[in-house]
Amino acid sequence: MRAVSFTPETVPGPDAPLRAALRYGLIGLGVLVVVAVAIASLVAGLPGLWGALLGAAIGGGFILTTVVSVLLGAKLPPSTAGMVMLVSWVGKLLVVLVVVGVLNQFDFYSRPALFFTVVGALLIVLGAETYGVVSHKVPYVTTRAGDGETASEQE
């Protein structure tokens, strides 16, 4: 087996896949906003524009909040990181319910444009984040030591 050496600049950090997921998710959301606004504006006019913008904000914000909360909780102890994930999930669910409840009173936006853009944001941003995590290579190390031997005992 051949030894491979890395310089500190070339070794990605442990949160590199999550940062890539966030980057790809934001790019996917940006593309969705442009496409959804163009299509919804052509189909429904100004209400379509508002529906597409609101749908992208609701759907994209809901999904991207998960990656951000995982990035923020990554360096915390596992129990605290779990609490951060739980609080962020409940918080974003409450925010979406309140926003949708408030928007339900108004009619300045196209409801079909909102619906299709939210669904598109969920699918596209999740797909982009998955691609970012799966395609990112992170080095790992295996030792020749048995379960009872540490790396320092090998040398």
Side-chain angles (χ1 to χ4, degrees):
M1 184 184 308
R2 177 177 134 237
V4 177
S5 64
F6 291 98
T7 61
E9 297 83 30
T10 62
V11 177
D15 62 346
L18 290 173
R19 285 187 281 118
L22 182 61
R23 182 175 54 253
Y24 284 121
L26 287 170
I27 291 169
L29 183 62
V31 170
L32 172 76
V33 167
V34 171
V35 171
V37 163
I39 292 172
S41 296
L42 287 174
V43 172
L46 189 59
L49 169 79
W50 283 110
L53 289 175
L54 289 169
I58 292 169
F62 190 85
I63 297 300
L64 290 173
T65 302
T66 303
V67 175
V68 171
S69 63
V70 170
L71 276 169
L72 293 175
K75 295 189 190 313
L76 299 173
S79 60
T80 308
M83 183 62 79
V84 167
M85 287 299 300
L86 179 64
V87 168
S88 74
W89 185 80
V90 171
K92 70 183 181 179
L93 191 62
L94 289 174
V95 167
V96 166
L97 287 174
V98 168
V99 167
V100 169
V102 168
L103 283 176
N104 197 25
Q105 302 172 20
F106 300 104
D107 60 354
F108 67 92
Y109 63 96
S110 168
R111 290 175 192 261
L114 175 77
F115 171 77
F116 287 118
T117 308
V118 167
V119 171
L122 294 176
L123 294 174
I124 290 171
V125 174
L126 276 176
E129 288 177 352
T130 302
Y131 175 77
V133 170
V134 171
S135 67
H136 205 82
K137 296 181 187 216
V138 177
Y140 63 92
V141 177
T142 57
T143 63
R144 287 177 268 145
D147 291 336
E149 221 177 286
T150 64
S152 62
E153 293 172 348
Q154 292 177 19
E155 297 172 7

